[in-house]
Amino acid sequence: MVGHRTRQATGWRPVADVVRERAFGLLPGRADWTAARRSPRRDLLAGLTVAVVALPLALAFGVTSGLGAQAGLVTAVVAGAVAAVFGGSNLQVSGPTGAMTVVLVPVVQRFGPTGVLMVGAMAGLVLIALALARLGRYVRYLPTPVIEGFTAGIAVVIALQQVPAALGVTDAHGDKVWAVAADAVARFVIHPKPAAPAVALAVAALMLLGARWRPGLPFSLLGVAAATVLAELAPVDLVRIGALPQGLPAPSMGFLDPGAVGVLLPSALAVAALAALESLLSATVADGMTVGERHDPDRELFGQGLANLASPLFGGIPATAAIARTAVNVRAGAGSKLAALTHAVALAAIVLAAAPLVGRIPLAALAGVLLATTVRMVEAGSLWALARATRGDALVLVLTFAVTVIWDLVTAVAVGLAVAVVLALRAVARSARLEQVPLDPGEHRAEEHALLTEHIVAYRLDGPLFFAAAHSFLLELSEVADVRVVILRMSRVTTMDATGAHVLGDAIRRLRGRGITVLLSGITPGHDQVLSTLGVADELRREGLVFPDTPAAIRHARTVALAGADAPATAATA
């Protein structure tokens, strides 16, 4: 009974109860489908439109990932349906994406297809854990230069990935994507096959030019269909997707390998981080394209986590929300989850009915689709504006872009964030000021005030006192000379950490060691707790030299200074 009363009094609850409550809060409810009853016909049409756009992209991203076109279709169907039902956005469309393939290619090379499936399932668990911890809201703090830098880098990496297929080269090799592209170019120069690059460029040009002429038409599907017809009728040498099974594979957990968890964990964390980032950014973009729509970031992470748990069971690759397909969904008039669910069902119908026809699509045509997609991903105006904003923004943008292309996406985000944090800390540290302020003459005579001014110095601390700003504060304060009393006015200190508190204590000790009396005034309760916990200024408290406000400190300082001024005269008289 005592333990029970203690829990109630302190508000403490078992972790299991908190997790259970949060898990139930992440599940879909009846209200999620209220919007679907408003205009189901419009949602169905929007879903069909997105399916037409998503089909060539799903095939292309499946091939690029290294697991094949079937894996791309399975991901679009299974992950797209699960994320639509359990996600936190009414407008989001999920499936395989170019950014995800950038992360998956090295995983396939190191661990093979089963490793990718294992990584996807582990990433799903990580996303669910992030949702239960309610971390979805923090993605909004990611700096814009980092986002734009890795988006542009992803576009370049995806374009480089398409070089072998666009040139009709099937045996290119290399450790990095740019090395594979360079090897493909070298092999093409030795044995040129003009049909593949002609088809890739034609499909890409049709998509880019057609989008300006008639934005509503699915030129990607038209281009792929035309290239397939050409390959069937004309005697051209084009590599095809190959045979696809009719229907979804049976679910299987044969890829699970508990012994590989430790080795695959870094890759799983990278996939989870990318899935969370891209999904929440996509949901934010969708909210901005509509009026009154607001996604739930934690539910979105939960839905993406379940989608990435389900996709590997059917042989699919890790999935995330797709910004391009989500934008098409919004522009097509979608207003509820029914549209995204319809997109997945339509793709499943295509898999069941048209698998042999899909297998005849040339890989060069899919390369053209992705080349056009990369051009659309990059907003040159936005990049140029960021590059001219500040030197710091330009540095973060360029570094994130370069590391994405040369190394990998996760390293790029880490480097971009680290540099952005350092630059932000430098800017915040520079905002901290130690400013000498004049004393109020009060009721003293002019000559008495002059005496006080010679022996009392008041400093006002403005801004943060933390590790990045503490060193300069110590150097500046240590230069104080020829005074008897120093008043440190603390009321405008915005932030104080342990380093700042220690530096403050060090400065007080140095001043007192030179015979200078130090007074503190206006310490806020939060900062007072830090100082008390670390034992800073304990001697000043015992001696009554810490004051609630500056006027009280000045009155005491006058007493100390005047007493010091009278001491020599008294001694001489005696």
Side-chain angles (χ1 to χ4, degrees):
M1 289 298 292
V2 174
H4 179 67
R5 285 197 299 268
T6 303
R7 291 184 186 182
Q8 286 185 334
T10 60
W12 180 85
R13 290 184 299 162
V15 175
D17 292 347
V18 176
V19 172
R20 189 181 304 109
E21 179 181 320
R22 292 184 179 181
F24 279 113
L26 296 172
L27 294 175
R30 183 177 301 178
D32 292 331
W33 296 96
T34 302
R37 293 194 289 269
R38 289 199 294 263
S39 54
R41 181 179 179 183
R42 188 175 63 181
D43 287 332
L44 291 173
L45 290 176
L48 292 174
T49 302
V50 177
V52 170
V53 175
L55 176 60
L57 291 174
L59 295 170
F61 288 136
V63 172
T64 303
S65 71
L67 268 69
Q70 180 189 0
L73 280 175
V74 167
T75 305
V77 173
V78 176
V82 174
V85 173
F86 292 94
S89 171
N90 287 330
L91 308 174
Q92 194 93 283
V93 179
S94 300
T97 63
M100 190 61 75
T101 61
V102 173
V103 179
L104 294 180
V105 168
V107 177
V108 175
Q109 293 173 348
R110 287 189 60 191
F111 306 109
T114 56
V116 173
L117 301 181
M118 184 75 175
V119 163
M122 292 171 62
L125 294 176
V126 173
L127 288 170
I128 293 174
L130 293 177
L132 293 173
R134 296 180 177 175
L135 297 180
R137 68 200 71 180
Y138 294 107
V139 75
R140 61 190 173 195
Y141 297 118
L142 196 67
T144 299
V146 174
I147 296 172
E148 295 290 345
F150 83 69
T151 300
I154 286 170
V156 172
V157 171
I158 295 173
L160 291 173
Q161 288 176 341
Q162 307 319 306
V163 170
L167 298 178
V169 177
T170 58
D171 54 351
H173 301 287
D175 295 333
K176 299 293 183 180
V177 63
W178 49 266
V180 176
D183 186 54
V185 171
R187 293 174 185 270
F188 178 80
V189 170
I190 298 174
H191 301 290
K193 299 178 181 179
V199 167
L201 292 176
V203 172
L206 177 63
M207 288 180 61
L208 295 175
L209 296 177
R212 293 186 176 184
W213 175 53
R214 289 287 181 85
L217 292 179
F219 285 100
S220 60
L221 189 63
L222 295 176
V224 170
T228 305
V229 172
L230 174 66
E232 291 296 318
L233 299 180
V236 291
D237 184 14
L238 293 172
V239 181
R240 316 295 182 93
I241 289 178
L244 294 175
Q246 288 185 289
L248 295 176
S252 170
M253 300 180 67
F255 62 87
L256 292 179
D257 182 7
V261 170
V263 179
L264 297 176
L265 184 59
S267 299
L269 293 176
V271 168
L274 178 59
L277 180 64
E278 193 169 11
S279 297
L280 295 177
L281 288 176
S282 176
T284 303
V285 171
D287 289 347
M289 295 175 65
T290 59
V291 177
E293 281 291 340
R294 288 294 178 267
H295 72 282
D296 184 329
D298 297 320
R299 283 194 57 190
E300 183 60 31
L301 290 181
F302 183 71
Q304 295 296 333
L306 292 180
N308 280 284
L309 278 177
S311 181
L313 297 178
F314 297 87
I317 60 177
T320 179
I323 295 178
R325 275 159 275 179
T326 299
V328 171
N329 193 39
V330 175
R331 292 183 184 130
S336 74
K337 296 172 176 286
L338 180 61
L341 187 60
T342 301
H343 136 272
V345 173
L347 288 177
I350 293 173
V351 172
L352 292 172
L357 181 60
V358 171
R360 301 299 298 169
I361 295 175
L363 292 179
L366 298 181
V369 171
L370 292 185
L371 288 174
T373 302
T374 59
V375 174
R376 292 176 176 177
M377 287 176 64
V378 179
E379 297 184 8
S382 177
L383 293 176
W384 180 240
L386 279 175
R388 292 184 301 167
T390 66
R391 291 183 179 179
D393 288 334
L395 176 62
V396 173
L397 177 71
V398 172
L399 272 178
T400 306
F401 170 81
V403 176
T404 299
V405 176
I406 298 174
W407 281 283
D408 59 74
L409 181 65
V410 177
T411 304
V413 173
V415 170
L417 275 176
V419 175
V421 168
V422 170
L423 294 176
L425 288 175
R426 188 183 69 168
V428 172
R430 287 181 173 179
S431 69
R433 296 194 308 274
L434 182 67
E435 180 182 3
Q436 184 175 347
V437 292
L439 294 175
D440 183 8
E443 300 178 354
H444 294 265
R445 298 187 305 273
E447 57 272 16
E448 189 177 74
H449 176 66
L451 178 63
L452 293 175
T453 303
E454 291 178 2
H455 298 289
I456 301 175
V457 177
Y459 284 98
R460 183 174 61 214
L461 281 68
D462 284 333
L465 183 59
F466 70 129
F467 69 93
H471 182 65
S472 60
F473 161 78
L474 176 61
L475 291 178
E476 190 172 350
L477 193 58
S478 298
E479 294 176 358
V480 175
D482 299 327
V483 296
R484 293 175 183 167
V485 183
V486 171
I487 302 173
L488 298 180
R489 301 172 60 177
M490 309 285 292
S491 60
R492 296 193 182 182
V493 174
T494 56
T495 302
M496 181 185 296
D497 66 357
T499 303
H502 277 300
V503 169
L504 176 64
D506 192 18
I508 292 172
R509 284 191 295 274
R510 292 190 183 191
L511 292 173
R512 285 168 63 88
R514 291 161 48 194
I516 298 174
T517 301
V518 181
L519 311 181
L520 299 182
S521 70
I523 303 175
T524 62
H527 301 155
D528 192 37
Q529 181 181 359
V530 176
L531 296 175
S532 300
T533 302
L534 297 176
V536 176
D538 283 350
E539 291 185 12
L540 298 186
R541 296 177 195 278
R542 287 192 295 268
E543 297 173 12
L545 300 179
V546 178
F547 301 88
D549 53 50
T550 301
I554 292 177
R555 286 194 296 271
H556 186 82
R558 284 174 172 151
T559 303
V560 173
L562 291 173
D566 291 339
T570 303
T573 302

